[in-house]
Amino acid sequence: MMTIPRSRPLALAAALTVLAALCPTPDAEAARARKKPVALQDDNAPEAVTYGRREDVVALADGIAERRGLDRAWVEETLAQARFIPGVVRLIQPPPAGTAKNWAAYRARFVEPVRIRAGVAFWRDNERWLREAEARYGVPAAIVVGIVGVETIYAQHMGNFRVLDALATLSFDFPRDARRDRSPFFRDELESFLLLCRQQGSDPLALKGSYAGAIGMPQFMPSSWLKYAVDFDGDGHIDLHANAADVIGSVAHYLAEFGWQRGQPTHYAVGAPVDVAERATLLAPDILPSFSATQFTEHGAALEEAGRQHEGPLALVELQNGNAAPSYVAGTQNFYAITRYNWSSYYALAVIELGQAVATVVEATR
């Protein structure tokens, strides 16, 4: 296998290709007509480029071995076998600037019959563990079920990228034109992944996950697995791929560690202030709860009765609907806790509403 170079002179080649396509000569057109289309290389093809002994890869391997007390030769050999995955680079990029967000469309992807049916089956199969997780951590079954459903449809889609490849690609070749360089974050996750594999006795070349390196049924990043995963059924091993008890306990533990408040709602209905300046004031902290119910009212927000009685801080959460008017909720500390799992208000509300939909069916069919 080839070793990936430090840089790739692709920009000039791409530009010349585009120019040739826009201004083809007669001979070029004839040659193109005779030429058979070339299939795109699969990311898992055996000739995929590996990182090998690249200087920055070896340097990170040595640092990881020293910090974590791991065998240096094992770390270097493992990272040398990591593959550069072009698809990971494409997928990690955010939507183009100016792409309109649409809560209604986003919701429809997750609160839908396939996930609801699978969620009902997951709930019924694991009701004991859901009850125990709520008793221990205060996180309702519906929230845990909502997260696992949004993340992987209850283990149906846990990702097909080698975790080592995904994390190495984002550590060493994070897109240069990205709005923010997140390669330090992924280098930390790569380090956590190698430590996790050593602790679990797992083969780092075998584990599969998402394009961002998230693992298992709850899609934990490696550092989250190390910090928050729990052996909830007490069998002496933490399994987030196939052990629903460990998955349920770990998700609930994660939320509890990020400030979940037992018995508190996630959000309240609210009418946003009509005055633009007042609305902007409430939206300024984004999804971080920062205002009392009284302050909401003083700034012109119309809270439902339960919201007016809420004692903790609230956040005015705006969810855009494309060209239609935005939707708004008043998020509590528990809404914010869900966004620590995935930093998106759209994600949090999808989790909540999927969990509610599953809970409604479970209760109706008891």
Side-chain angles (χ1 to χ4, degrees):
M1 294 185 181
M2 297 171 57
T3 297
I4 191 166
R6 181 171 291 278
S7 61
R8 304 176 190 78
L10 297 179
L12 178 59
L16 292 174
T17 301
V18 172
L19 182 62
L22 293 174
C23 306
T25 64
D27 289 343
E29 287 184 339
R32 188 168 57 195
R34 294 192 300 270
K35 187 176 180 180
K36 294 181 180 180
V38 178
L40 294 175
Q41 176 176 303
D42 186 89
D43 285 339
N44 293 316
E47 64 270 24
V49 179
T50 59
Y51 278 95
R53 302 286 299 176
R54 210 172 84 173
E55 182 179 347
D56 54 344
V57 178
V58 173
L60 181 64
D62 292 346
I64 290 173
E66 182 176 353
R67 285 188 296 273
R68 298 295 190 169
L70 299 174
D71 180 73
R72 188 181 304 271
W74 176 79
V75 176
E76 289 186 0
E77 176 62 22
T78 300
L79 291 186
Q81 297 177 74
R83 298 180 297 207
F84 170 76
I85 306 295
V88 166
V89 175
R90 291 193 300 270
L91 289 167
I92 203 67
Q93 295 276 38
T99 302
K101 295 181 178 180
N102 191 317
W103 159 240
Y106 186 93
R107 182 188 187 279
R109 289 170 50 197
F110 298 106
V111 188
E112 46 81 30
V114 170
R115 277 183 167 83
I116 294 172
R117 284 195 298 269
V120 170
F122 181 83
W123 190 311
R124 289 172 176 161
D125 289 344
N126 300 287
E127 190 157 7
R128 169 195 170 187
W129 301 115
L130 291 166
R131 286 198 308 268
E132 290 192 16
E134 183 166 0
R136 183 180 304 182
Y137 299 114
V139 181
I143 298 298
V144 175
V145 169
I147 284 178
V148 181
V150 167
E151 291 291 345
T152 60
I153 319 182
Y154 312 99
Q156 292 183 34
H157 299 293
M158 293 191 289
N160 200 37
F161 291 90
R162 285 203 321 183
V163 175
L164 178 68
D165 297 339
L167 293 176
T169 298
L170 297 173
S171 294
F172 303 118
D173 288 283
F174 197 84
R176 294 182 179 180
D177 57 348
R179 300 171 196 170
R180 180 166 61 96
D181 180 14
R182 299 183 64 206
S183 56
F185 166 80
F186 287 105
R187 285 195 292 271
D188 289 344
E189 291 299 334
L190 180 58
E191 181 169 331
S192 294
F193 175 67
L194 293 174
L195 178 61
L196 176 64
C197 288
R198 265 309 192 225
Q199 289 183 354
Q200 294 277 312
S202 302
D203 180 0
L205 301 178
L207 288 177
K208 298 280 186 80
S210 77
Y211 67 84
I215 310 170
M217 208 184 302
Q219 293 288 273
F220 270 20
M221 293 300 289
S223 64
S224 293
W225 185 313
L226 291 172
K227 293 176 185 176
Y228 308 115
V230 295
D231 175 17
F232 202 55
D233 63 357
D235 67 355
H237 180 68
I238 299 174
D239 178 7
L240 299 187
H241 289 92
N243 188 325
D246 289 354
V247 170
I248 290 165
S250 298
V251 170
H253 179 229
Y254 182 100
L255 293 175
E257 288 294 309
F258 279 90
W260 184 273
Q261 301 296 303
R262 186 185 297 267
Q264 185 181 88
T266 55
H267 63 286
Y268 300 102
V270 64
V274 175
D275 182 84
V276 174
E278 297 284 21
R279 186 164 68 247
T281 297
L282 292 180
L283 289 173
D286 197 17
I287 53 180
L288 178 66
S290 305
F291 301 97
S292 67
T294 299
Q295 289 172 320
F296 253 59
T297 302
E298 290 173 348
H299 285 292
L303 278 166
E304 63 172 305
E305 175 60 27
R308 291 197 295 272
Q309 303 302 317
H310 185 77
E311 295 182 355
L314 297 168
L316 182 63
V317 178
E318 180 180 80
L319 302 112
Q320 298 174 17
N321 285 307
N323 295 325
S327 300
Y328 294 92
V329 298
T332 69
Q333 171 60 35
N334 284 352
F335 189 97
Y336 185 73
I338 299 173
T339 67
R340 300 309 87 191
Y341 203 103
N342 181 315
W343 291 17
S344 163
S345 55
Y346 297 79
Y347 171 89
L349 198 54
V351 162
I352 293 163
E353 296 201 1
L354 173 60
Q356 289 173 340
V358 172
T360 297
V361 175
V362 170
E363 289 300 320
T365 55
R366 284 191 186 278

